[in-house]
Amino acid sequence: MIVLITGPSGAGKSTFVQKLMAQDDRLAFSISTTTRPIREGEVDGRDYDFVDDDAFDQLVEKDAFVEWAHVHNNRYGTRHSRLKEMAAAGKIPLLDIDVQGGVNVIDQYGPELVSVFLFPPSWEELERRLRSRATDSDEIIATRLKNARLEVGYADRYSFWLVNDDLEDAVSRMTAIILAESCRKSSFEVSPLD
Ligand code: 5GP
């Protein structure tokens, strides 16, 4: 099983993912590779693999990525090697990536992929959440709102829809999805009685 979670910025994806990870130790966060500069408090190799443009180009050339995309003027990608490492450790990889990258992953994986689109409760609430990040200018907020409308247009490609109205409640619905998926016949290698 691979869990893919996406949604427009302002849907509350990061907090949602953190809370979910804290509740289920079978999940392992898929560490992406990015050209974005490291932020204060972040750790290379834990939050992201931080690389420069040349190194990213080389990885693209070597076909190292399951998918990669431009997000907010930087490049981000999910590496085959990271997913393999997690599977080898018996973990369920959890991908927190942008909507377009998510669609690329959906196109590559079959039923083992649990694809989830996280919605904000309303457009008004999305705008309020974006505005509450005091660091962003009006221009950035307007761009994010415009992008959010485009991103929601891809929601149809995802198998599960979650509305992030109440965080606890949305996380418990997500836990139920993972539980149900782990009971699928296809997730058993052999019959439990063999
Ligand atoms: P941030 O720079 O704030 O950590 O992330 C910005 C955006 O990039 C988020 O929407 C995040 O989901 C997305 N992102 C992170 N890693 C990947 C990745 O490997 N591939 C794609 N397509 N998007 C990613």
Side-chain angles (χ1 to χ4, degrees), residues 13 32 36 39 48 67 69 71-72 76-78 96-98 101:
K13 212 169 33 145
S32 298
R36 151 163 97 55
R39 293 183 188 138
Y48 283 103
E67 63 74 38
V71 186
H72 311 319
Y76 296 79
T78 308
D96 163 4
I97 65 178
D98 89 305

Side-chain angles (χ1 to χ4, degrees), residues 2 7 21 39 44 89 91 114 118 120 146 159 161 163 180 186:
I2 296 177
M21 298 273 314
R39 293 183 188 138
D44 188 19
K91 295 284 188 181
V114 179
L118 190 66
K146 208 174 100 202
S159 302
W161 286 7
V163 180
S186 55

Side-chain angles (χ1 to χ4, degrees), residues 14 19-20 25 34 41 44 52 67 104 106 132 163 166 182:
S14 314
K19 209 158 179 88
L20 180 66
D25 59 10
T34 184
D44 188 19
D52 61 18
E67 63 74 38
N104 290 336
I106 290 169
S132 69
V163 180
D166 176 85
S182 66

